Amino acid sequence: QVQLAESGGGLVQAGGSLRLSCVASGRILSINSMGWYRQAPGKPRELVAVITSDGTINYADSVKGRFTGSRDSAKNTVYLQMNSLKPEDTAVYYCNARIRDSWYSGSADYWGQGTKVTVSS
């Protein structure tokens, strides 16, 4: 059983910063990618930043230059440093990881429970 545990959300004023962390635990044979998605009220879930196994990072256009993703493969952990936060960044942020947990099957997507980020104006 694989679990993703997020931390670091909260309330911050516009222009402020937050750092999210996500640790994957359980039966993990390999991790292909780890990253972050978010979902604002009334909107679909969207990609924020994803880090592949070779270190390539893909960002949403709306966060480029403000958010920085990083990954510690030895700790099965992914981070999201969020600077210059805007009210429109308010959302529930979900950790995602594509993990292989069995020798007999391919990789599957796993999700954290979500951490709420609220940016006040």
Side-chain angles (χ1 to χ4, degrees):
Q1 188 78 5
V2 174
Q3 292 184 327
L4 302 182
E6 301 135 331
S7 60
L11 173 64
V12 65
Q13 289 187 332
S17 298
L18 283 174
R19 188 187 193 218
L20 306 183
S21 301
C22 172
V23 180
S25 62
R27 181 178 170 80
I28 298 172
L29 298 181
S30 62
I31 300 179
N32 295 340
S33 65
M34 294 188 78
W36 298 91
Y37 289 71
R38 68 185 180 186
Q39 188 166 18
K43 294 187 177 181
R45 191 172 297 189
E46 63 176 1
L47 180 147
V48 177
V50 173
I51 307 172
T52 62
S53 57
D54 66 0
T56 301
I57 308 177
N58 296 312
Y59 293 102
D61 288 341
S62 59
V63 306
K64 285 180 180 177
R66 300 188 298 122
F67 291 11
T68 302
S70 61
R71 180 175 167 179
D72 186 335
S73 297
K75 296 181 179 179
N76 292 337
T77 300
V78 65
Y79 306 95
L80 185 68
Q81 178 65 44
M82 304 185 293
N83 298 329
S84 302
L85 282 160
K86 303 176 181 179
E88 50 264 44
D89 294 318
T90 295
V92 177
Y93 284 69
Y94 295 91
C95 178
N96 168 268
R98 180 155 293 183
I99 294 173
R100 187 179 185 189
D101 62 1
S102 169
W103 294 112
Y104 307 105
S105 63
S107 299
D109 278 319
Y110 290 89
W111 295 91
Q113 78 285 355
T115 184
K116 189 171 184 179
V117 172
T118 303
V119 184
S120 62
S121 58

